[in-house]
Structure formats: C-alpha cells, structure tokens
C-alpha cells in the first residue's frame, strides 16, 4: 500500500497464512515496522523487530470459531447483520424501485445518525477508525432478479467518510469489479477494486486503488488456497535474544510508531486521524 508521506510514500508488505478456525501467521514489513504475529489455538506471540521484543499475551480466538471458510463467510455476514438489522442502531427502510445501469433495483436504506465532522480532531481509537461502518447512512440498490447489490452509497459525517460503489459481475454472478467515487474528506477522487479467479472458481487475486490529486493508496493481494495445510505449517518461535515484555508496554510502543507515521501522512495532506496512544 502506498500513500504520500514526508519521504514521498509509505509502504506496507503483508504475507500470511490463515485458517478458518482463527489460527494464523502474519508477517508485516515496511515503513510502519517489522512485526510477526502468530497464534495457534490459545497460544501465540507478537514480535517487533525494531524493539527486539515479543509478548505472548495475544487475543484469543472466538469460542465459536468456524472450521471451514464457508462457515467463516456466513459468520462474517451474520456480524454485519447484527449491526445493520438485529441491533436497534440503524433504522431500516425502503426507498422505492427504479432502473439503474440496466437493472431494475430496489433501494434499501439504513440510517444511524452521527455527529458532524470536527476538523480539529486529530486522533481517535483504533476501534473508532476500523468501526466507521457501524454508524452513518447506507443506501443499497439491489437487483430485484439476482438479489445482488448494484450500487452502494455510504456516508459517516463524523468520520468524514462518503463514498459510492458500483458493482459489476461475471460468470456465475461472481464479483468482477467495484468502481468507486470517493468524496471522503481529504481524499476526494476515483478508485477501483478488481477481483480475479482461478480455474477452480476461487478468488486468486484482489487489487484496488484510491486516488486524489497527488495522493494514492493502492494494494495488490494474491491468494492461494490449500486443503492440506495444518497448524504445523505456521509453527514459529520468537527469535533468539528477543526480550519478553508485557502486552500493554509493547502495544504502546507499536501504537506510538504508528501514530508517528500517520502524522507524516497528515502533514502531506492525507486525511487520517492518528491512533490514540492510550488504547486500541
């Protein structure tokens, strides 16, 4: 992923192996630091190369962790449903039918009002940043025949997020691309998402980009699927000589480094709020 910073760009490289049941091994490298994060069952560790330190206090997997990715996908949809449908946060409604890009669509609306944009606010918790989609106004245009989304409009004024996404599909109604019209504060401009599939019908690569004047954030991710891997494939131990530390102490140092890099991006005009050092 690349975005303007004081030095011209910020880079992040990610390589990982993930299991549906929550076991994983992730290698992060780049301008935000070099980190190894792994977990098998209830045990694992987070290692920081810059600190030459690690902590074994990792987040535990969910008690109802799925055994297959199909079950994981259903669980993910249930998480979204819990926010938009089951919880009283969003008020749902219908906004009528119309023709859109050759489709007859039904418009669904979900509204959970937010506060207004505060230009003086420079930082917030990581949970607020990642959970921006849990409040705001969402409007989805759904094809009446296929029941697939054709267009999605979302805005969260408090977070400065406003975007429109148009979806296109290929064979077997698989998602091919998403064209993005981004009007989020500090990052107004076009964007896109492209999905490629292998001969088995599974996703093989996902790539995307958001552009705005002289700023750009892009990513490219390759996916490889295997039925024969076991938890032994992600076995790892902290490097010899690394110091064991408490979770809170190490997490504070990681957040401090992240906040510093985000500040560089802020000075270059990228609309990001720094991560609060006091918590997630």
């Amino acid at each position: 992923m690349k975005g303007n910073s004081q030095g011209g760009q910020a880079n992040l490289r990610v390589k990982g192996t993930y299991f549906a049941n929550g076991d994983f091994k992730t290698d992060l490298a780049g301008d935000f630091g070099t980190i190894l994060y792994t977990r098998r069952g209830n045990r694992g560790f987070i290692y920081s190369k810059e600190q030459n330190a690690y902590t074994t206090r990792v987040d535990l997997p969910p008690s109802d962790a799925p055994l297959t990715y199909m079950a994981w996908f259903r669980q993910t949809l249930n998480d979204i449903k819990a926010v938009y449908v089951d919880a009283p946060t969003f008020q749902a409604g219908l906004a009528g039918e119309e023709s859109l890009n050759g489709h007859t669509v039904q418009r669904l609306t979900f509204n959970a009002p937010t506060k207004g944009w505060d230009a003086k606010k420079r930082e917030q918790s990581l949970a607020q940043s990642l959970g921006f989609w849990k409040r705001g106004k969402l409007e989805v245009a759904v094809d009446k025949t296929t029941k697939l989304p054709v267009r999605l409009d979302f805005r969260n004024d408090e977070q400065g997020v406003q975007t429109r996404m148009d979806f296109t599909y290929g064979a077997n109604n698989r998602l091919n691309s998403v064209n993005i019209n981004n009007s989020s504060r500090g990052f107004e401009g076009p964007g896109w998402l492209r999905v490629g599939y292998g001969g088995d019908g599974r996703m093989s690569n996902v790539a995307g980009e958001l552009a705005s004047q002289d700023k750009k954030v892009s990513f490219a991710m390759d996916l490889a699927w295997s039925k024969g891997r076991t938890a032994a494939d992600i076995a790892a131990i902290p490097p010899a000589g690394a110091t064991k530390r408490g979770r809170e102490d190490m997490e504070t140092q990681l957040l401090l480094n992240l906040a510093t890099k985000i500040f560089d991006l802020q000075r270059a005009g990228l609309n990001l709020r720094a991560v609060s050092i006091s918590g997630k």
Side-chain angles (χ1 to χ4, degrees):
M1 302 195 306
K2 296 182 179 180
N4 282 350
S5 68
Q6 188 177 21
Q9 66 181 23
N11 295 294
L12 173 64
R13 297 179 298 279
V14 182
K15 181 179 180 180
T17 301
Y18 306 90
F19 292 83
N21 68 352
D23 291 345
F24 67 89
K25 179 182 178 183
T26 303
D27 289 286
L28 303 173
D31 296 336
F32 295 95
T34 301
I35 298 172
L36 170 60
Y37 186 13
T38 184
R39 183 184 66 208
R40 295 172 60 193
N42 292 334
R43 295 185 177 184
F45 65 88
I46 304 172
Y47 166 75
S48 168
K49 181 179 179 181
E50 286 71 25
Q51 299 181 45
N52 191 30
Y54 69 97
T55 178
T56 56
R57 285 186 55 196
V58 298
D59 294 330
L60 300 179
S63 58
D64 58 344
L67 298 179
T68 68
Y69 267 104
M70 182 59 73
W72 174 86
F73 184 69
R74 291 195 187 100
Q75 192 176 72
T76 300
L77 292 179
N78 286 336
D79 290 342
I80 298 174
K81 178 175 176 288
V83 174
Y84 279 88
V85 180
D86 299 336
T89 309
F90 281 88
Q91 297 297 317
L94 298 176
E97 298 181 8
E98 64 177 275
S99 178
L100 177 64
N101 298 335
H103 301 265
T104 299
V105 300
Q106 172 69 63
R107 291 190 174 274
L108 312 176
T109 62
F110 303 87
N111 190 28
T114 69
K115 299 178 182 178
W117 170 258
D118 183 359
K120 296 180 180 179
K121 186 177 181 181
R122 302 292 290 173
E123 68 173 35
Q124 64 186 14
S125 70
L126 188 59
Q128 284 181 297
S129 296
L130 298 179
F132 70 90
W133 57 277
K134 294 182 178 181
R135 294 197 71 87
K137 183 176 182 180
L138 171 68
E139 185 171 297
V140 185
V142 179
D143 185 287
K144 290 196 66 177
T145 301
T146 65
K147 309 303 181 184
L148 295 171
V150 176
R151 173 175 291 176
L152 181 152
D153 287 279
F154 177 81
R155 66 182 301 156
N156 180 323
D157 292 333
E158 184 176 7
Q159 300 293 333
V161 176
Q162 182 178 350
T163 190
R164 166 173 287 178
M165 300 182 182
D166 289 293
F167 302 87
T168 61
Y169 302 89
N172 299 317
N173 286 329
R174 295 192 184 105
L175 178 66
N176 274 353
S177 64
V178 182
N179 290 319
I180 302 171
N181 182 359
N182 192 33
S183 301
S184 300
R185 289 181 178 268
F187 221 114
E188 297 85 351
W192 52 265
L193 178 73
R194 302 288 184 268
V195 182
Y197 300 87
D200 56 6
R202 297 186 178 96
M203 289 184 182
S204 58
N205 57 78
V206 182
E209 178 180 289
L210 282 177
S212 177
Q213 297 179 353
D214 60 344
K215 300 184 288 291
K216 182 172 71 174
V217 174
S218 60
F219 75 92
M221 178 172 63
D222 292 325
L223 302 172
W225 302 88
S226 173
K227 294 182 179 180
R229 288 184 176 269
T230 67
D233 293 315
I234 60 173
I237 59 174
T243 302
K244 185 175 182 180
R245 294 168 61 178
R247 169 86 179 244
E248 292 78 9
D249 182 28
M250 187 169 175
E251 189 175 74
T252 297
Q253 292 299 319
L254 292 173
L255 289 174
L256 181 61
N257 180 63
L258 176 60
T260 300
K261 295 300 181 182
I262 290 180
F263 179 65
D264 288 341
L265 295 173
Q266 288 175 334
R267 290 195 296 180
L270 188 61
N271 178 40
L272 290 174
R273 282 173 172 161
V275 177
S276 300
I277 304 301
S278 58
K280 294 182 179 181

